[in-house]
Amino acid sequence: MIRLAAPDITEAEVDAVAKVLRSGFLVQGENVARFEQALIRATETPEAVAVNSGTSALLLALMALEIGPGDQVAVTAYSWPATANVIELVGARPIFVDIDPLTYNIDPEKLRATLVQNAAIKAVLLVHAFGGMSNLDELARLCDQFKIPLIEDAACALGAKYDGRPAGQWGTLACFSFHPRKAITTGEGGAVVGQSPQIMRKLRQLRNHGIDPIAARPDFVVPGHNFRLTEMQAALGLVQLGRMPEILKIRQIQAARYNALLAGTMVHPPKVDPRAQHVFQSYVVSVPARRDEIIATLKDRGIETTIGTQHIPLTTYYRRKYDFRLGDFPGCDHAAAHALTLPLHSSLTPDQQKMVVHTLIGAVNG
Ligand SMILES: *Cc1c(COP(=O)(O)O)cnc(C)c1O
């Protein structure tokens, strides 16, 4: 079976985790602090707060910005549902914004129209789809113009850049995930990076039972969660971050190889914004038709593929609650019908990539 994804774990990661287990200090130790420092360097931001998942990172970001009942948040409609779920979970209302079906990223013109129509929108939560950034200058300018914070769902985008500026630096806050489907993993894990010391202090309180990180004695100042990362996870993440240039390089080489193999076929490679450095958390192509049949055919031939991501407004919860229909988000409708994720991971060989493309083209024509 050619797997869709596989974490890139070496003996160095295994040793690092074993060392923590032998140390007897499993939480709240030096590995988490060092992991946060490494994230600060990787994203070139002043502060990072590690948490136990990307979803926790998003939830805490909204809470730290005091987004709650009655508020509206503009959000990318084509993403993993967590992106919108956190808005519902704080009692706010997601205002979905359609994507450009070629880059799978939020369409700036549609965001502008949404912000013009909804004066009540309190923040913009946008996704760097599959590790690719697009139109960030324009999107950031829009948020400035409307005087609302930008939150980056950079779950897939650690190491990505736009105009040379890393993912994580564009928003008031930015959230990362270290789930095994992402290029850099801690098993489960996440982080928030940001510029404002006050907001980061609030994030630390919310992460750890409401304890103020600066107070001399434990002082519980808000009803917080326990969203802490473990020392084992942080030790794993530290090795992964150290290997990030190598891991991302492999993904970029594999993406370029797929691009070359797909040239001139009916299958379109992902469109990359020329000003972006894409990290290819997923390599998502567009097939002309019968996408689900193609997934089944490839599976029969031993190749694991999947859809792009979720058309959130058409998932049962959102469709029922807000009465969305096909046609409300044409960009998402297109991606939901045509997007196909191909295998991409460090152990994939050039011959396997050739086989994937050969079998895919056969399935498209078949
Ligand atoms: C993976 C992902 C999340 C959720 O991250 P977890 O660590 O799995 O909670 C959120 N948003 C996007 C865009 C993702 O890809």
Side-chain angles (χ1 to χ4, degrees), residues 52-56 58 78-83 127-130 153-156 176-179 181-182 188-190 281 309:
N52 60 357
S53 74
T55 305
S56 299
L58 290 166
Y78 188 64
S79 181
W80 186 245
T83 310
V127 179
H128 306 316
F130 311 121
D153 180 345
C156 302
F176 295 93
S177 164
F178 308 111
H179 180 272
R181 269 295 306 278
K182 322 302 185 195
E188 297 277 7
Q281 178 268 334
T309 188

Side-chain angles (χ1 to χ4, degrees), residues 47-351:
E47 204 172 335
V49 176
V51 292
N52 60 357
S53 74
T55 305
S56 299
L58 290 166
L59 184 63
L60 290 196
L62 294 179
M63 291 177 75
L65 293 173
E66 290 173 7
I67 290 162
D71 292 332
Q72 299 184 4
V73 179
V75 61
T76 307
Y78 188 64
S79 181
W80 186 245
T83 310
N85 288 347
V86 291
I87 300 171
E88 292 280 330
L89 286 168
V90 298
R93 177 179 177 145
I95 306 294
F96 290 105
V97 183
D98 203 9
I99 56 158
D100 171 347
L102 296 178
T103 63
Y104 307 112
N105 277 316
I106 201 164
D107 180 327
E109 276 317 306
K110 289 180 182 158
L111 178 61
R112 180 191 302 280
T114 302
L115 294 176
V116 167
Q117 279 161 22
N118 300 266
I121 287 176
K122 219 173 155 189
V124 173
L125 174 50
L126 63 82
V127 179
H128 306 316
F130 311 121
M133 301 173 75
S134 191
N135 299 310
L136 260 293
D137 52 344
E138 204 177 333
L139 294 164
R141 211 163 37 236
L142 266 176
C143 291
D144 278 351
Q145 191 188 324
F146 285 83
K147 298 189 168 47
I148 49 178
L150 167 62
I151 306 165
E152 296 172 66
D153 180 345
C156 302
L158 185 66
K161 289 184 175 160
Y162 192 80
D163 279 346
R165 258 177 86 187
Q169 250 194 39
W170 292 83
T172 300
L173 293 173
C175 302
F176 295 93
S177 164
F178 308 111
H179 180 272
R181 269 295 306 278
K182 322 302 185 195
I184 299 299
T185 186
T186 59
E188 297 277 7
V192 188
V193 301
Q195 320 285 333
S196 153
Q198 292 91 329
I199 296 173
M200 300 313 280
R201 180 175 176 183
K202 206 178 285 171
L203 279 165
R204 287 187 189 279
Q205 296 164 354
L206 291 166
R207 169 181 71 171
N208 186 23
H209 303 292
I211 300 175
D212 185 49
I214 293 165
R217 283 179 296 121
D219 188 13
F220 299 84
V221 295
V222 287
H225 290 277
N226 175 356
F227 283 168
R228 296 183 312 239
L229 195 71
T230 67
E231 284 286 286
M232 290 80 80
Q233 291 167 315
L236 170 53
L238 267 168
V239 180
Q240 288 267 294
L241 280 181
R243 296 181 54 231
M244 187 165 90
E246 164 203 343
I247 292 173
L248 296 186
K249 187 82 201 163
I250 293 171
R251 302 183 83 85
Q252 283 160 345
I253 289 169
Q254 290 179 338
R257 191 175 290 122
Y258 271 139
N259 287 345
L261 290 165
L262 290 169
T265 73
M266 310 238 304
V267 176
H268 296 295
K271 185 182 164 196
V272 176
D273 188 312
R275 292 161 69 180
Q277 191 174 310
H278 202 304
V279 291
F280 296 102
Q281 178 268 334
S282 288
Y283 184 87
V284 183
V285 300
S286 177
V287 295
R290 297 185 299 105
R291 194 268 324 275
D292 293 345
E293 267 179 64
I294 292 170
I295 292 176
T297 304
L298 290 171
K299 188 171 173 228
D300 286 343
R301 310 267 158 85
I303 298 168
E304 188 188 4
T305 59
T306 188
I307 64 167
T309 188
Q310 299 295 318
H311 184 320
I312 305 176
L314 292 188
T315 59
T316 298
Y317 174 78
Y318 293 97
R319 183 172 45 79
R320 287 201 183 137
K321 180 163 182 182
Y322 299 109
D323 197 24
F324 291 124
R325 290 142 211 260
L326 201 68
D328 290 343
F329 301 94
C332 291
D333 294 344
H334 188 276
H338 297 275
L340 175 72
T341 306
L342 302 187
L344 195 89
H345 51 84
S346 298
S347 43
L348 188 70
T349 66
D351 278 348

